[in-house]
């Protein structure tokens, strides 16, 4: 999936697991929404990869949605040209049809499992599943604790916000947005799309910087480890876009979804704004820095905030390690299901789906 447009549509957050899959379900304007059901190793991600490759060869524009717990696996794809989405509808992001048959369809990937094989290994499957769930719970606990420290930093830093600088940048940037070029961006997904560009993941926090750079030849970078100034400016730009009917992709902070905005993409204008901090940094070549949003702090406050940030980093690192453990357990589960699958049936599913999707062109 290198050099592809990629976002996350779900993440472990301070509120627990938050999915954004409903944001790409558009029954009024979209053509179809495929929901894949099946256990680990049943071929859902491979099927989506195979379909997306065929569609891209046909010239279709595809967005990819990797799994936050395994970025090498796909949770969903979105075809702009056919107005079709395909998603993994199994737990923890369980999805069911809203308009069965008319718009969304369940595809059962486990229809021809060797159920006897799975029954024989029931005890192991249950045990591994429990341990995997516990690993995710441990990660969420760390994320919640880190979020509390980062929120405290946001609260402490608010009194040091340079309001005149925020006002000046708001005026300058909203003027640029109002005068920007319009690529007649397709609006069947709605005026606003909600996404994540980063997530606590396997051993590290994954950040899709290339998506920003690909969609935003003009990229503004806000250096803000504390989050208060960047969030204020981005919130103002977000409101301006919605009030003035400018298409926008709103990308939240993955651990504070949907309470804090970290990135804004204006796809019709090819302009983007990103907060660069300790958890996701941007290579600043050919970018524009936004500066002067925070006044100088006193030594005591700054020292306290640095300690909070250091502790939050350690907690997020621990969460990354728990996600790594969950991934290993997921791989163990996959072995049982792969052994039980009849992958010839997946070829039949592929043929049926790709023919249907191409009919929507």
């Amino acid at each position: 999936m290198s050099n592809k447009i990629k976002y996350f549509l779900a993440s472990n957050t301070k509120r627990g697991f938050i999915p954004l899959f409903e944001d790409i379900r558009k029954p009024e304007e979209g053509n179809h929404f495929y929901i894949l059901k099946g256990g680990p190793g049943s071929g859902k991600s491979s099927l989506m990869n195979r379909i997306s490759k065929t569609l891209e060869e046909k010239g279709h524009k595809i967005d990819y949605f990797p799994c936050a717990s395994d970025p090498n696996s796909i949770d969903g794809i979105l075809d702009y040209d056919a107005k079709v989405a395909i998603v993994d509808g199994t737990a923890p992001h369980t999805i069911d049809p809203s308009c069965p048959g008319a718009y969304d369809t369940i595809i059962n990937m486990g229809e021809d499992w060797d159920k006897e094989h799975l029954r024989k290994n029931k005890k192991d499957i249950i045990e591994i599943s429990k341990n995997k769930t516990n690993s995710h719970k441990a990660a969420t606990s760390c994320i919640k604790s880190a979020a509390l420290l980062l929120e405290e930093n946001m609260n402490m830093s608010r009194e040091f916000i340079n309001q005149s600088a925020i006002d000046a940048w708001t005026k300058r940037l909203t003027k640029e947005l109002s005068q920007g070029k319009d690529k007649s961006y397709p609006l069947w997904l709605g005026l606003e799309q909600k996404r994540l560009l980063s997530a606590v993941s396997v051993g590290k926090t994954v950040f899709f910087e290339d998506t920003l750079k690909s969609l935003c030849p003009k990229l503004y970078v806000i250096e803000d480890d504390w989050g208060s100034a960047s969030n204020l400016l981005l919130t103002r730009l977000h409101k301006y876009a919605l009030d003035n009917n400018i298409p926008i992709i709103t990308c939240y902070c993955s651990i504070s979804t949907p309470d804090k905005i970290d990135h804004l993409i204006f796809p019709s204008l090819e302009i983007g704004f990103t907060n660069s901090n300790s958890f996701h940094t941007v290579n600043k070549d050919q970018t524009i820095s936004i500066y002067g949003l925070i006044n100088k702090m006193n030594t005591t406050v700054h020292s306290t905030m640095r300690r909070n940030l250091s502790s939050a980093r350690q907690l997020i690192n621990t969460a990354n390690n728990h996600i790594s453990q969950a991934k290993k357990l997921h791989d163990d589960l996959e072995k049982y299901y792969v052994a039980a699958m009849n992958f010839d049936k997946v070829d039949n599913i592929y043929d049926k789906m790709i023919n249907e999707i191409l009919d929507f062109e």
Side-chain angles (χ1 to χ4, degrees):
M1 288 188 290
S2 60
N3 300 321
K4 307 291 187 182
I5 299 300
K6 293 180 280 189
Y7 305 94
F8 293 113
L9 275 181
S11 178
N12 285 314
T13 76
K14 66 180 184 180
R15 300 188 185 189
F17 184 81
I18 298 290
L20 298 173
F21 284 82
E22 289 298 329
D23 197 71
I24 63 171
R25 175 150 44 183
K26 304 292 180 182
E28 290 83 8
E29 300 292 338
N31 283 324
H32 212 71
F33 190 80
Y34 293 93
I35 303 169
L36 307 183
K37 299 281 190 177
S42 57
K44 302 185 296 294
S45 179
S46 297
L47 175 64
M48 286 187 275
N49 263 318
R50 186 177 175 188
I51 289 173
S52 64
K53 182 179 179 181
T54 300
L55 293 173
E56 285 189 322
E57 289 172 351
K58 297 285 185 180
H60 289 213
K61 178 181 181 295
I62 306 292
D63 281 357
Y64 290 80
F65 306 110
C67 171
S69 298
D70 179 9
N72 291 320
S73 181
I74 300 179
D75 271 350
I77 60 173
L78 176 67
D79 183 332
Y80 283 81
D81 297 281
K83 298 183 180 180
V84 165
I86 309 173
V87 299
D88 180 345
T90 54
H93 36 80
T94 304
I95 305 170
D96 291 312
S98 59
C99 303
Y103 172 64
D104 33 24
T105 301
I106 288 179
I107 306 295
N108 184 0
M109 302 291 289
E111 188 174 6
D112 293 290
W113 272 330
D114 180 349
K115 297 180 179 62
E116 185 59 31
H117 172 79
L118 296 176
R119 291 190 188 104
K120 286 180 180 178
N121 294 283
K122 175 183 174 183
K123 183 178 179 181
D124 288 344
I125 289 172
I126 291 173
E127 183 66 21
I128 294 170
S129 298
K130 285 181 179 179
N131 290 334
K132 177 185 169 184
T133 298
N134 288 336
S135 292
H136 280 297
K137 286 181 178 178
T140 299
S141 294
C142 292
I143 291 168
K144 286 181 179 179
S145 298
L148 287 172
L149 291 167
L150 296 174
E151 286 169 7
E152 179 63 20
N153 278 358
M154 284 187 66
N155 292 333
M156 294 176 69
S157 65
R158 281 193 180 100
E159 66 176 289
F160 299 97
I161 288 177
N162 185 339
Q163 290 292 343
S164 61
I166 292 283
D167 293 341
W169 276 106
T170 300
K171 183 177 180 179
R172 169 184 168 178
L173 296 173
T174 52
K175 181 179 180 180
E176 181 174 354
L177 294 177
S178 69
Q179 297 175 348
K181 61 182 178 178
D182 186 346
K183 294 177 59 184
S184 299
Y185 191 76
L187 287 176
W188 68 273
L189 285 165
L191 185 65
E192 179 184 24
Q193 299 176 52
K194 298 175 182 178
R195 304 284 188 267
L196 301 173
L197 278 174
S198 64
V200 178
S201 190
V202 183
K204 63 181 180 178
T205 298
V206 174
F207 173 46
F208 295 137
E209 180 184 353
D210 288 345
T211 294
L212 268 177
K213 295 289 184 71
S214 295
L215 295 178
C216 308
K218 190 170 190 178
L219 181 62
Y220 287 88
V221 179
I222 310 169
E223 295 282 353
D224 183 12
D225 255 335
W226 316 125
S228 57
S230 57
N231 189 55
L232 177 57
L233 179 58
L234 292 173
T235 298
R236 287 187 178 184
L237 297 178
H238 175 262
K239 183 178 186 303
Y240 179 84
L242 296 183
D243 289 346
N244 291 274
N245 297 312
I246 303 173
I248 187 171
I249 302 173
T250 303
C251 301
Y252 298 111
C253 167
S254 64
I255 67 173
S256 297
T257 304
D259 302 323
K260 179 176 178 289
I261 298 172
D262 265 355
H263 323 274
L264 291 177
I265 297 171
F266 293 86
S268 66
L269 308 178
E270 297 186 330
I271 298 173
F273 302 87
T274 180
N275 174 26
S276 182
N277 57 35
S278 295
F279 301 99
H280 43 74
T281 59
V282 176
N283 185 329
K284 289 181 279 297
D285 290 344
Q286 298 180 330
T287 65
I288 303 168
S289 294
I290 292 180
Y291 49 85
L293 303 186
I294 290 283
N295 294 320
K296 186 176 180 179
M297 301 175 184
N298 66 60
T299 303
T300 301
V301 171
H302 190 261
S303 296
T304 299
M305 292 170 63
R306 295 304 303 178
R307 285 195 298 271
N308 286 347
L309 180 58
S310 178
S311 296
R313 285 176 183 156
Q314 292 176 25
L315 285 163
I316 293 300
N317 286 338
T318 302
N320 289 329
N321 292 334
H322 285 304
I323 298 295
S324 291
Q325 180 61 28
K327 168 64 169 60
K328 292 177 183 177
L329 292 165
H330 182 85
D331 291 345
D332 290 339
L333 275 179
E334 278 194 338
K335 295 173 185 177
Y336 292 104
Y337 285 89
V338 168
M341 276 294 295
N342 179 355
F343 285 100
D344 290 339
K345 296 292 183 180
V346 178
D347 290 337
N348 296 334
I349 293 172
Y350 165 81
D351 291 337
K352 183 175 185 296
M353 288 180 65
I354 198 66
N355 288 330
E356 288 180 356
I357 293 169
L358 292 175
D359 280 345
F360 289 125
E361 288 182 305

